[in-house]
Amino acid sequence: MSCFSSVDESAHYGFSVCMLLAQYREQLGWAREGVVELGTGDATAIADVVAGLPDLRVRSFDISGPSVERARENIAARGVADRYTVELGDFFDGADSAAAPRVSTVIANPPYIPAPDRDILMPELWGGVYGNDLVLQLLKAGYRNVVTAVPSYADPETTVRTAEDLGYRVVNFLAMGLDYGEYSSEPKVRDHIRRLCAEGHGWAGEDEYMVAVALFTQDPDIPGDRAGQLLRALQLPV
Protein backbone atom coordinates (compact mmCIF):
# COMPACT_ATOMS: atom_id res chain seq x y z
CA MET A 1 0.00 0.00 0.00
CA SER A 2 1.45 3.35 -1.02
CA CYS A 3 0.76 6.93 0.00
CA PHE A 4 -1.31 9.19 -2.22
CA SER A 5 -0.03 12.71 -2.75
CA SER A 6 -1.13 15.42 -5.17
CA VAL A 7 0.51 18.81 -4.75
CA ASP A 8 -2.10 20.87 -6.61
CA GLU A 9 -5.10 19.13 -5.10
CA SER A 10 -3.66 19.20 -1.58
CA ALA A 11 -2.82 22.88 -1.87
CA HIS A 12 -6.36 23.66 -3.01
CA TYR A 13 -7.86 21.55 -0.23
CA GLY A 14 -5.71 23.14 2.47
CA PHE A 15 -6.20 26.71 1.26
CA SER A 16 -9.96 26.23 0.96
CA VAL A 17 -10.32 24.65 4.39
CA CYS A 18 -8.28 27.48 5.91
CA MET A 19 -10.38 30.16 4.21
CA LEU A 20 -13.70 28.58 5.15
CA LEU A 21 -12.70 27.93 8.76
CA ALA A 22 -11.34 31.44 9.14
CA GLN A 23 -14.37 33.10 7.57
CA TYR A 24 -16.87 31.12 9.64
CA ARG A 25 -14.82 30.82 12.81
CA GLU A 26 -17.47 31.99 15.26
CA GLN A 27 -20.40 30.23 13.60
CA LEU A 28 -18.62 26.86 13.43
CA GLY A 29 -17.18 27.09 16.93
CA TRP A 30 -14.07 25.09 16.06
CA ALA A 31 -11.87 27.05 18.49
CA ARG A 32 -13.94 25.52 21.31
CA GLU A 33 -14.64 22.07 19.90
CA GLY A 34 -11.93 21.35 17.37
CA VAL A 35 -12.74 19.46 14.18
CA VAL A 36 -12.44 15.89 12.97
CA GLU A 37 -11.04 14.85 9.61
CA LEU A 38 -11.87 11.91 7.37
CA GLY A 39 -8.73 10.85 5.52
CA THR A 40 -5.38 12.35 6.49
CA GLY A 41 -3.28 11.61 3.43
CA ASP A 42 0.24 12.93 3.97
CA ALA A 43 -1.18 15.68 6.28
CA THR A 44 0.85 18.48 4.74
CA ALA A 45 -2.14 20.57 3.68
CA ILE A 46 -3.98 20.54 6.98
CA ALA A 47 -0.79 20.67 9.06
CA ASP A 48 -0.12 24.03 7.43
CA VAL A 49 -3.70 25.09 8.21
CA VAL A 50 -3.25 24.10 11.87
CA ALA A 51 0.03 26.02 11.98
CA GLY A 52 -1.73 29.10 10.63
CA LEU A 53 -4.76 28.89 12.94
CA PRO A 54 -3.34 28.67 16.48
CA ASP A 55 -6.70 27.78 18.08
CA LEU A 56 -7.44 24.89 15.72
CA ARG A 57 -7.31 21.28 16.89
CA VAL A 58 -7.80 18.42 14.42
CA ARG A 59 -8.39 14.74 15.15
CA SER A 60 -7.86 12.82 11.93
CA PHE A 61 -8.39 9.22 10.78
CA ASP A 62 -6.86 7.27 7.90
CA ILE A 63 -7.05 3.58 6.97
CA SER A 64 -3.58 3.52 5.37
CA GLY A 65 -0.71 2.61 7.67
CA PRO A 66 1.97 4.19 5.45
CA SER A 67 -0.11 7.37 5.17
CA VAL A 68 -0.46 7.60 8.94
CA GLU A 69 3.29 7.16 9.43
CA ARG A 70 4.13 9.82 6.86
CA ALA A 71 1.42 12.12 8.18
CA ARG A 72 2.78 11.95 11.72
CA GLU A 73 6.27 12.78 10.44
CA ASN A 74 4.98 15.78 8.48
CA ILE A 75 2.89 16.99 11.41
CA ALA A 76 5.84 16.74 13.77
CA ALA A 77 8.08 18.57 11.30
CA ARG A 78 5.65 21.49 11.35
CA GLY A 79 5.53 21.56 15.14
CA VAL A 80 1.78 21.00 15.48
CA ALA A 81 1.64 17.44 16.84
CA ASP A 82 -0.01 18.73 20.00
CA ARG A 83 -2.98 20.03 17.99
CA TYR A 84 -3.13 17.66 15.00
CA THR A 85 -3.42 13.98 15.86
CA VAL A 86 -3.80 11.05 13.48
CA GLU A 87 -5.32 7.67 14.23
CA LEU A 88 -5.08 4.54 12.11
CA GLY A 89 -8.55 3.19 11.48
CA ASP A 90 -11.96 3.78 10.02
CA PHE A 91 -13.28 7.28 10.59
CA PHE A 92 -16.86 6.15 11.09
CA ASP A 93 -15.82 3.70 13.81
CA GLY A 94 -13.39 6.00 15.62
CA ALA A 95 -14.80 9.51 15.37
CA ASP A 96 -18.33 8.40 16.20
CA SER A 97 -17.50 6.02 19.03
CA ALA A 98 -19.27 6.53 22.34
CA ALA A 99 -16.01 7.59 23.98
CA ALA A 100 -15.17 10.21 21.33
CA PRO A 101 -15.78 13.86 22.13
CA ARG A 102 -18.57 15.16 19.95
CA VAL A 103 -17.76 17.99 17.57
CA SER A 104 -20.00 19.69 15.06
CA THR A 105 -17.57 20.17 12.16
CA VAL A 106 -15.86 17.58 9.97
CA ILE A 107 -13.40 18.24 7.15
CA ALA A 108 -12.58 15.81 4.37
CA ASN A 109 -10.89 15.33 1.03
CA PRO A 110 -12.25 11.82 0.66
CA PRO A 111 -11.37 9.25 -2.02
CA TYR A 112 -13.48 10.11 -5.06
CA ILE A 113 -12.16 8.17 -8.06
CA PRO A 114 -15.22 6.67 -9.82
CA ALA A 115 -14.80 3.21 -11.33
CA PRO A 116 -16.87 0.04 -11.80
CA ASP A 117 -14.95 -1.64 -8.95
CA ARG A 118 -11.89 -1.31 -6.69
CA ASP A 119 -9.53 -2.96 -9.18
CA ILE A 120 -7.73 0.28 -10.04
CA LEU A 121 -4.15 1.53 -9.69
CA MET A 122 -4.71 2.71 -6.12
CA PRO A 123 -7.77 1.01 -4.59
CA GLU A 124 -7.72 3.35 -1.56
CA LEU A 125 -8.81 6.17 -3.87
CA TRP A 126 -11.95 4.38 -5.07
CA GLY A 127 -15.06 6.38 -4.23
CA GLY A 128 -17.59 3.88 -5.54
CA VAL A 129 -19.21 3.56 -8.95
CA TYR A 130 -20.14 7.26 -8.98
CA GLY A 131 -17.20 8.46 -6.88
CA ASN A 132 -19.28 10.01 -4.09
CA ASP A 133 -19.91 7.07 -1.75
CA LEU A 134 -17.85 8.46 1.14
CA VAL A 135 -19.18 12.00 0.76
CA LEU A 136 -22.75 10.72 0.94
CA GLN A 137 -21.87 8.56 3.96
CA LEU A 138 -20.28 11.58 5.62
CA LEU A 139 -23.33 13.75 5.02
CA LYS A 140 -25.46 11.06 6.65
CA ALA A 141 -23.18 10.79 9.71
CA GLY A 142 -24.91 13.54 11.67
CA TYR A 143 -22.34 16.35 11.70
CA ARG A 144 -23.86 19.81 11.67
CA ASN A 145 -21.14 21.24 9.43
CA VAL A 146 -19.31 19.38 6.67
CA VAL A 147 -16.38 20.87 4.78
CA THR A 148 -15.61 18.52 1.91
CA ALA A 149 -14.19 18.28 -1.58
CA VAL A 150 -16.81 17.92 -4.31
CA PRO A 151 -15.32 16.90 -7.69
CA SER A 152 -17.13 17.60 -10.95
CA TYR A 153 -16.90 14.03 -12.27
CA ALA A 154 -18.23 12.28 -9.14
CA ASP A 155 -21.98 12.91 -9.52
CA PRO A 156 -21.98 16.26 -7.70
CA GLU A 157 -25.66 16.93 -8.32
CA THR A 158 -26.64 13.81 -6.38
CA THR A 159 -24.29 14.92 -3.61
CA VAL A 160 -25.90 18.36 -3.43
CA ARG A 161 -29.48 17.08 -3.65
CA THR A 162 -28.82 14.44 -0.98
CA ALA A 163 -27.36 17.14 1.24
CA GLU A 164 -30.47 19.26 0.72
CA ASP A 165 -32.70 16.30 1.62
CA LEU A 166 -30.70 15.98 4.85
CA GLY A 167 -31.24 19.65 5.72
CA TYR A 168 -27.89 21.02 4.54
CA ARG A 169 -27.23 24.21 2.60
CA VAL A 170 -24.09 25.09 0.67
CA VAL A 171 -22.93 28.16 2.58
CA ASN A 172 -19.81 28.83 0.52
CA PHE A 173 -17.15 27.10 -1.55
CA LEU A 174 -13.88 27.54 -3.44
CA ALA A 175 -13.51 25.87 -6.85
CA MET A 176 -10.45 25.13 -8.94
CA GLY A 177 -9.70 23.39 -12.21
CA LEU A 178 -7.31 20.44 -12.07
CA ASP A 179 -5.60 18.33 -14.72
CA TYR A 180 -6.10 14.58 -14.69
CA GLY A 181 -3.47 12.90 -12.57
CA GLU A 182 -2.06 9.41 -12.75
CA TYR A 183 -5.12 7.79 -11.22
CA SER A 184 -7.79 9.67 -13.17
CA SER A 185 -5.83 8.95 -16.37
CA GLU A 186 -5.92 5.17 -15.93
CA PRO A 187 -7.82 3.96 -19.03
CA LYS A 188 -10.39 2.04 -17.03
CA VAL A 189 -11.11 5.09 -14.88
CA ARG A 190 -11.04 7.59 -17.75
CA ASP A 191 -13.51 5.51 -19.79
CA HIS A 192 -15.80 5.18 -16.79
CA ILE A 193 -15.71 8.94 -16.16
CA ARG A 194 -16.63 9.56 -19.80
CA ARG A 195 -19.65 7.27 -19.45
CA LEU A 196 -20.78 8.93 -16.24
CA CYS A 197 -20.53 12.38 -17.74
CA ALA A 198 -22.33 11.29 -20.92
CA GLU A 199 -25.15 10.01 -18.70
CA GLY A 200 -25.39 13.36 -16.90
CA HIS A 201 -23.63 12.37 -13.67
CA GLY A 202 -20.88 14.96 -13.85
CA TRP A 203 -18.52 16.97 -16.01
CA ALA A 204 -14.97 16.47 -17.19
CA GLY A 205 -12.94 17.81 -20.08
CA GLU A 206 -10.57 15.74 -22.14
CA ASP A 207 -7.85 15.99 -19.49
CA GLU A 208 -9.33 18.19 -16.80
CA TYR A 209 -12.03 18.45 -14.18
CA MET A 210 -13.13 20.79 -11.43
CA VAL A 211 -12.94 20.36 -7.66
CA ALA A 212 -14.73 22.55 -5.16
CA VAL A 213 -14.25 22.51 -1.40
CA ALA A 214 -17.63 23.40 0.04
CA LEU A 215 -19.09 24.15 3.45
CA PHE A 216 -22.40 22.37 3.98
CA THR A 217 -24.33 23.33 7.12
CA GLN A 218 -27.55 22.48 8.91
CA ASP A 219 -27.20 25.55 11.14
CA PRO A 220 -30.04 28.00 10.41
CA ASP A 221 -28.00 30.86 11.85
CA ILE A 222 -25.30 30.61 9.19
CA PRO A 223 -26.56 32.50 6.11
CA GLY A 224 -26.08 31.42 2.53
CA ASP A 225 -27.46 28.98 -0.02
CA ARG A 226 -25.06 28.63 -2.93
CA ALA A 227 -25.94 25.14 -4.18
CA GLY A 228 -26.79 26.43 -7.63
CA GLN A 229 -23.58 28.43 -7.82
CA LEU A 230 -21.59 25.37 -6.74
CA LEU A 231 -23.06 23.20 -9.49
CA ARG A 232 -22.47 25.90 -12.10
CA ALA A 233 -18.86 26.25 -10.93
CA LEU A 234 -18.51 22.50 -11.47
CA GLN A 235 -19.83 22.98 -15.04
CA LEU A 236 -23.19 21.33 -14.28
CA PRO A 237 -26.42 22.74 -15.74
CA VAL A 238 -28.82 23.97 -13.07
Side-chain angles (χ1 to χ4, degrees), residues 79-129:
V80 294
D82 59 328
R83 293 187 291 116
Y84 189 7
T85 60
V86 183
E87 299 177 35
L88 176 62
D90 184 89
F91 170 87
F92 297 101
D93 291 336
D96 295 332
S97 67
R102 190 61 180 170
V103 301
S104 56
T105 301
V106 58
I107 62 175
N109 186 15
Y112 58 69
I113 293 289
D117 51 55
R118 292 178 61 89
D119 186 18
I120 58 177
L121 285 175
M122 194 169 185
E124 304 96 292
L125 298 181
W126 188 54
V129 173

Side-chain angles (χ1 to χ4, degrees), residues 139 142-146 163-164 166-170 216-218:
L139 288 167
Y143 290 91
R144 198 169 199 189
N145 310 297
V146 178
E164 290 174 340
L166 294 167
Y168 287 99
R169 287 171 294 107
V170 178
F216 295 84
T217 189
Q218 295 174 328

Side-chain angles (χ1 to χ4, degrees), residues 115-172:
D117 51 55
R118 292 178 61 89
D119 186 18
I120 58 177
L121 285 175
M122 194 169 185
E124 304 96 292
L125 298 181
W126 188 54
V129 173
Y130 294 98
N132 60 355
D133 280 6
L134 276 172
V135 172
L136 295 179
Q137 187 177 357
L138 188 58
L139 288 167
K140 295 172 183 176
Y143 290 91
R144 198 169 199 189
N145 310 297
V146 178
V147 179
T148 185
V150 182
S152 64
Y153 61 41
D155 202 5
E157 184 168 8
T158 293
T159 297
V160 169
R161 302 310 174 206
T162 300
E164 290 174 340
D165 290 343
L166 294 167
Y168 287 99
R169 287 171 294 107
V170 178
V171 172
N172 220 331

Side-chain angles (χ1 to χ4, degrees), residues 59-91:
R59 184 181 181 212
S60 188
F61 295 82
D62 202 292
I63 60 171
S64 167
S67 288
V68 169
E69 291 179 10
R70 181 181 295 181
R72 287 173 175 165
E73 292 172 357
N74 289 331
I75 290 167
R78 286 160 174 77
V80 294
D82 59 328
R83 293 187 291 116
Y84 189 7
T85 60
V86 183
E87 299 177 35
L88 176 62
D90 184 89
F91 170 87

